[in-house]
Amino acid sequence: MPLPDISANDADFHTDPYSFYARLRAKGPVHRVEVTAEYTPTFLVVGYDEARRALGHPALAKDWSSGEILPGIAVTEANRNMLESDPPQHTRLRRLVAREFTARRIEAMRPRVQRTTDDLLDAMAARPQRTADLVKALAFPLPMTVICELLGVPHLDRERFGYWSKEVVAPTSATPNTTAHQKLGEYLAELVGAKAEEPGEDLLSALIRTRDEDGDALSSGELIGMAFLLLVAGHETTANLISNGTRALLAHPDQLAALRADWDGLLDGAVEEMLRYDGPVQNATYRYAREDMELGGTTIPAGATVLVSLAGADRDPERFGTPDTFDIRRAPQGHLAFGHGMHFCIGAPLARMEGRIALRGLLERFPDLAEDPAGGPPDHFGGSLIRGVTRLPVRW
């Protein structure tokens, strides 16, 4: 019997991966799957309890830079980040970053997020044809602007940066390619050097200055890796939260009407349900078994790769009743859209704030917003990492 193949660029799968995960989950929580020759064997975790366990399992490593796990894949400065490291290095990096990436700094961004949202919606409202690609008009430029300003990335570089970022999270080729990583690393090395010479008030400058009680600080390579992680993760996830959330609400007019009738009471829960129902990250980045282990009744051999399906876990009926129903009044606490354990997304509070501001602003500004059938169907990202659309035609 052939292995399930999640590497194929199958339009039906990318349109609705949840049916695929449900069929697998009905047979068990963990399955051997086909991805690419570089990642063999690979195990996909689709059950909620098993996913949560895997995300914090000490036998599953994230650091592949030794060259033994993925031979032939070049390591760049961009890979020297928290997401691709294990304790004690991960603990050290996260501690240093957490000293500056604080709730206070994030909250201070709120007025800028609101102004940027208002400006983008003004530009949409001024369009005489009353149609737009919501990804290009709002979902992409808002978080890109916010994260670039947070890190101090010059405005003129953002389009180029966006292209490289897309190639990292949703590559257009199935063949492993480090070009985008290298380009990002080279650019960020220049940026870190410039910030070191002329620091500002941005987060990257603060990370260059920060020291812990023992005098420890981030090296130049670690700063490049941290900037890479914060920039790529900081805008890709939020962009897809906004577009996926909008699609979910437009497809469920009863839920949209309820939200419009009670913004203050339902908005926070609605964003959490959007994250659970159709979150921005389909599968967590790869983990690697340090030793033979058992998960969900399946033996995973040492050296195997493990993909934790956040999308599959968040539709597990053992954890969420009627999981395929979009219900903004649900209590979705415990969803895994931002991960779990030591690698829980450090930028989750910023993404939530941007999502709430953007979605409320959009739906209040355009009360008759709808998907635009004349614009054609949305195009979904390929690959197994990101869950979202490259374009979302809307009208009002």
Side-chain angles (χ1 to χ4, degrees):
M1 182 176 179
L3 296 175
D5 185 355
I6 65 171
S7 66
N9 194 16
D10 186 301
D12 290 337
F13 171 76
H14 296 309
T15 299
D16 177 24
Y18 300 103
S19 297
F20 173 85
Y21 297 135
R23 289 193 297 272
L24 283 183
R25 196 170 50 242
K27 299 176 182 177
V30 182
H31 295 269
R32 172 85 182 272
V33 295
E34 190 73 40
V35 183
T36 68
E38 286 75 17
Y39 306 121
T40 300
T42 295
F43 292 82
L44 181 70
V45 185
V46 292
Y48 178 88
D49 289 341
E50 292 75 17
R52 189 179 170 94
R53 192 172 303 124
L55 290 171
H57 204 298
L60 292 175
K62 295 300 295 293
D63 184 2
W64 55 273
S65 61
S66 67
E68 297 175 2
I69 295 174
L70 301 178
I73 306 295
V75 179
T76 70
E77 296 283 22
N79 299 118
R80 304 184 192 284
N81 59 66
M82 293 186 298
L83 189 60
E84 297 172 272
S85 64
D86 302 306
Q89 177 69 347
H90 173 272
T91 308
R92 170 181 167 270
L93 292 174
R94 185 142 186 152
R95 182 180 66 246
L96 287 167
V97 173
R99 295 175 69 91
E100 295 298 337
F101 199 40
T102 61
R104 182 177 181 181
R105 183 182 289 273
I106 292 170
E107 184 59 29
M109 294 291 294
R110 184 180 296 275
R112 185 65 180 115
V113 173
Q114 187 67 63
R115 285 196 302 273
T116 302
T117 299
D118 292 342
D119 290 345
L120 292 169
L121 295 177
D122 285 346
M124 278 182 62
R127 295 172 66 91
Q129 64 271 46
R130 298 187 181 183
T131 63
D133 172 5
L134 191 68
V135 172
K136 186 178 294 186
L138 176 66
F140 176 80
L142 172 61
M144 176 58 85
T145 299
V146 170
I147 199 66
C148 283
E149 291 194 2
L150 184 66
L151 288 175
V153 176
H155 179 75
L156 293 178
D157 295 317
R158 294 176 191 180
E159 184 173 350
R160 183 170 46 149
F161 221 104
Y163 170 75
W164 290 334
S165 176
K166 280 288 187 293
E167 280 296 304
V168 168
V169 301
T172 53
S173 171
T175 304
N177 189 332
T178 58
T179 301
H181 282 81
Q182 291 170 341
K183 292 290 186 182
L184 276 169
E186 291 166 4
Y187 173 79
L188 287 170
E190 295 177 7
L191 182 64
V192 168
K195 293 290 180 185
E197 291 185 7
E198 295 186 32
E201 297 301 315
D202 53 86
L203 176 61
L204 187 53
S205 297
L207 290 175
I208 291 172
R209 293 189 298 264
T210 193
R211 298 284 190 278
D212 70 7
E213 290 78 5
D214 299 325
D216 188 20
L218 296 168
S219 69
S220 59
E222 290 166 346
L223 284 163
I224 293 168
M226 200 59 61
F228 167 82
L229 176 61
L230 292 173
L231 188 75
V232 173
H235 84 269
E236 291 291 351
T237 53
T238 307
N240 291 313
L241 164 59
I242 294 169
S243 57
N244 290 356
T246 300
R247 293 183 68 232
L249 285 169
L250 294 181
H252 299 84
D254 59 327
Q255 300 294 300
L256 177 55
L259 179 59
R260 282 182 162 140
D262 187 9
W263 286 110
D264 293 336
L266 292 177
L267 180 59
D268 289 0
V271 169
E272 297 308 307
E273 176 67 346
M274 293 168 195
L275 288 163
R276 182 205 69 85
Y277 178 78
D278 198 16
V281 180
Q282 186 173 175
N283 296 296
T285 51
Y286 285 98
R287 284 163 166 77
Y288 312 96
R290 305 175 194 264
E291 58 195 44
D292 291 351
M293 59 178 290
E294 183 272 336
L295 187 66
T298 297
T299 299
I300 299 175
T305 58
V306 175
L307 269 179
V308 179
S309 176
L310 308 180
D314 281 342
R315 295 283 190 103
D316 187 342
E318 294 295 319
R319 176 61 179 82
F320 300 101
T322 60
D324 296 325
T325 299
F326 179 66
D327 179 6
I328 64 172
R329 292 185 175 88
R330 180 193 299 274
Q333 290 83 357
H335 69 70
L336 301 179
F338 289 120
H340 172 69
M342 74 175 73
H343 289 288
F344 182 84
C345 177
I346 197 171
L350 179 60
R352 285 179 163 121
M353 180 178 73
E354 290 180 75
R356 291 165 186 163
I357 290 174
L359 287 158
R360 180 167 184 170
L362 172 70
L363 296 168
E364 286 188 326
R365 187 69 172 271
F366 304 103
D368 59 345
L369 188 78
E371 289 199 48
D372 182 12
D379 297 323
H380 289 82
F381 286 115
S384 60
L385 176 62
I386 291 296
R387 171 67 183 160
V389 292
T390 62
R391 51 190 294 275
L392 178 56
V394 294
R395 58 179 173 81
W396 59 91

XYZ file of all heavy atoms in Angstrom, residues 317-353:
288
model
N -11.745 15.671 16.786
C -13.013 15.669 17.526
C -12.864 15.206 18.970
O -13.752 15.458 19.794
C -13.901 14.714 16.724
C -12.944 13.845 15.974
C -11.758 14.700 15.680
N -11.751 14.538 19.290
C -11.518 14.138 20.677
C -11.194 15.350 21.553
O -11.325 15.277 22.776
C -10.371 13.127 20.744
C -10.665 11.792 20.083
C -11.777 11.044 20.800
O -11.803 11.052 22.044
O -12.636 10.454 20.109
N -10.778 16.441 20.940
C -10.439 17.659 21.696
C -11.469 18.768 21.485
O -11.801 19.501 22.415
C -9.041 18.156 21.279
C -8.622 19.481 21.927
C -8.575 19.362 23.444
N -8.159 20.610 24.070
C -8.966 21.636 24.322
N -10.245 21.571 23.967
N -8.510 22.719 24.919
N -11.961 18.914 20.259
C -12.912 19.990 19.944
C -14.183 19.376 19.374
O -14.151 18.728 18.324
C -12.308 20.967 18.929
C -11.049 21.639 19.402
C -9.806 21.204 18.964
C -11.100 22.691 20.307
C -8.638 21.816 19.397
C -9.940 23.302 20.759
C -8.702 22.864 20.309
N -15.317 19.584 20.070
C -16.586 19.062 19.572
C -16.957 19.691 18.242
O -16.697 20.872 18.006
N -17.564 18.898 17.345
C -17.913 19.341 15.989
C -16.797 20.211 15.410
O -16.987 21.383 15.109
C -19.260 20.099 15.968
O -19.164 21.264 16.817
C -20.395 19.212 16.425
N -15.600 19.665 15.237
C -14.419 20.467 14.898
C -14.480 21.144 13.537
O -13.782 22.137 13.321
C -13.278 19.452 14.947
C -13.933 18.149 14.631
C -15.280 18.225 15.289
N -15.294 20.629 12.616
C -15.382 21.236 11.285
C -16.400 22.370 11.234
O -16.625 22.954 10.171
C -15.735 20.174 10.248
C -14.643 19.114 10.124
O -13.463 19.475 10.267
O -14.974 17.942 9.902
N -17.016 22.686 12.380
C -17.952 23.805 12.474
C -17.211 25.048 12.940
O -16.477 25.008 13.932
C -19.089 23.484 13.471
O -19.809 22.348 13.002
C -20.038 24.665 13.610
N -17.392 26.148 12.214
C -16.785 27.428 12.585
C -17.738 28.133 13.541
O -18.837 28.522 13.168
C -16.555 28.270 11.328
C -15.962 29.629 11.595
C -14.677 29.755 12.089
C -16.683 30.790 11.331
C -14.118 31.006 12.325
C -16.134 32.038 11.557
C -14.850 32.151 12.051
N -17.319 28.265 14.794
C -18.193 28.794 15.845
C -17.406 29.779 16.694
O -16.583 29.378 17.527
C -18.728 27.647 16.702
C -19.634 28.128 17.831
O -19.948 29.334 17.881
O -20.016 27.288 18.670
N -17.664 31.082 16.511
C -16.882 32.100 17.207
C -17.222 32.168 18.695
O -16.522 32.848 19.447
C -17.053 33.490 16.556
C -18.496 33.981 16.670
C -16.594 33.458 15.100
C -18.673 35.434 16.213
N -18.275 31.473 19.129
C -18.602 31.423 20.560
C -17.960 30.214 21.243
O -18.107 30.030 22.449
C -20.125 31.365 20.747
C -20.845 32.651 20.330
C -22.324 32.559 20.658
N -23.034 33.792 20.392
C -23.578 34.103 19.216
N -23.467 33.250 18.198
N -24.212 35.240 19.057
N -17.264 29.401 20.480
C -16.573 28.232 21.028
C -15.509 28.697 22.031
O -14.978 29.799 21.936
C -15.922 27.475 19.880
C -15.155 26.235 20.272
C -14.291 25.758 19.114
N -15.069 25.409 17.938
C -15.627 24.225 17.725
N -15.500 23.270 18.635
N -16.298 23.990 16.617
N -15.184 27.830 22.961
C -14.048 28.080 23.853
C -12.854 27.315 23.281
O -12.669 26.138 23.589
C -14.356 27.620 25.269
N -12.067 27.949 22.415
C -11.018 27.209 21.700
C -9.679 27.184 22.422
O -8.656 26.927 21.822
C -10.918 27.994 20.393
C -11.164 29.411 20.823
C -12.129 29.350 21.998
N -9.689 27.513 23.731
C -8.429 27.515 24.458
C -7.728 26.170 24.293
O -8.347 25.123 24.355
C -8.667 27.779 25.958
C -9.106 29.193 26.280
C -10.594 29.421 26.114
O -11.302 28.512 25.694
N -11.069 30.605 26.428
N -6.438 26.260 24.093
C -5.666 25.042 23.909
C -5.383 24.713 22.469
O -4.734 23.704 22.182
N -5.879 25.539 21.515
C -5.542 25.258 20.111
C -4.034 25.383 19.936
O -3.345 26.040 20.727
C -6.311 26.179 19.161
C -5.899 27.614 19.205
N -4.688 28.061 18.719
C -6.537 28.730 19.661
C -4.597 29.372 18.860
N -5.705 29.806 19.441
N -3.530 24.760 18.886
C -2.086 24.669 18.674
C -1.589 25.548 17.527
O -0.492 25.336 17.025
C -1.704 23.208 18.411
C -2.051 22.215 19.528
C -1.644 20.800 19.123
C -1.386 22.600 20.844
N -2.384 26.523 17.122
C -2.014 27.337 15.965
C -0.679 28.047 16.140
O 0.045 28.279 15.159
C -3.108 28.362 15.669
N -0.328 28.396 17.375
C 0.963 29.036 17.647
C 1.975 28.052 18.232
O 3.012 28.458 18.746
C 0.786 30.213 18.603
C 0.100 31.406 17.999
C -1.090 31.879 18.530
C 0.638 32.070 16.902
C -1.726 32.993 17.980
C 0.014 33.167 16.347
C -1.169 33.628 16.888
N 1.676 26.764 18.153
C 2.574 25.762 18.699
C 2.292 25.507 20.170
O 1.241 25.852 20.706
N 3.290 24.916 20.829
C 3.145 24.542 22.242
C 4.540 24.279 22.795
O 5.444 23.884 22.071
C 2.270 23.288 22.376
C 2.226 22.726 23.766
N 1.593 23.373 24.801
C 2.758 21.583 24.307
C 1.721 22.661 25.907
N 2.417 21.574 25.629
N 4.703 24.503 24.087
C 5.980 24.190 24.716
C 7.015 25.269 24.495
O 6.699 26.437 24.273
N 8.282 24.871 24.525
C 9.364 25.853 24.486
C 9.411 26.638 23.179
O 9.934 27.752 23.149
C 10.706 25.156 24.719
C 11.205 24.332 23.545
S 12.860 23.660 23.818
C 12.493 22.385 25.002
N 8.871 26.075 22.100
C 8.894 26.764 20.817
C 7.584 27.510 20.523
O 7.353 27.912 19.379
C 9.184 25.774 19.689
C 10.600 25.274 19.689
N 11.672 26.057 19.326
C 11.118 24.064 20.034
C 12.793 25.360 19.428
N 12.479 24.138 19.858
N 6.743 27.694 21.538
C 5.521 28.479 21.353
C 5.896 29.840 20.780
O 6.862 30.474 21.209
C 4.787 28.647 22.684
C 3.484 29.397 22.577
C 2.323 28.734 22.206
C 3.424 30.754 22.821
C 1.119 29.418 22.095
C 2.228 31.447 22.719
C 1.073 30.777 22.345
N 5.122 30.294 19.798
C 5.453 31.512 19.047
C 5.584 32.724 19.966
O 4.613 33.134 20.616
C 4.374 31.768 17.998
S 4.631 33.291 17.057
N 6.770 33.316 19.998
C 7.020 34.466 20.859
C 6.255 35.704 20.379
O 5.987 36.625 21.139
C 8.541 34.749 20.944
C 8.857 35.650 22.138
C 9.048 35.372 19.632
C 10.342 35.786 22.419
N 5.870 35.708 19.097
C 5.156 36.849 18.538
C 3.648 36.711 18.550
O 2.943 37.540 17.958
N 3.118 35.694 19.239
C 1.669 35.469 19.248
C 0.874 36.699 19.711
O -0.149 37.035 19.101
C 1.332 34.250 20.105
N 1.283 37.405 20.767
C 0.507 38.585 21.180
C 0.430 39.663 20.100
O -0.613 40.301 19.925
C 1.264 39.092 22.420
C 1.959 37.884 22.957
C 2.356 37.104 21.734
N 1.525 39.861 19.351
C 1.507 40.855 18.276
C 0.593 40.406 17.149
O -0.187 41.211 16.608
C 2.932 41.079 17.753
C 3.078 42.080 16.602
C 2.582 43.459 17.029
C 4.529 42.154 16.142
N 0.646 39.134 16.778
C -0.221 38.626 15.711
C -1.687 38.762 16.091
O -2.523 39.148 15.268
C 0.118 37.157 15.424
N -2.018 38.439 17.338
C -3.405 38.558 17.787
C -3.876 40.010 17.729
O -4.989 40.292 17.279
C -3.529 38.020 19.210
C -3.484 36.499 19.304
C -3.584 36.032 20.752
N -3.936 34.620 20.828
C -3.190 33.691 21.418
N -2.041 34.026 21.980
N -3.594 32.429 21.444
N -3.022 40.930 18.179
C -3.403 42.333 18.160
C -3.640 42.819 16.726
O -4.649 43.475 16.429
C -2.334 43.195 18.824
C -2.652 44.690 18.840
S -1.397 45.657 19.680
C -0.055 45.621 18.494
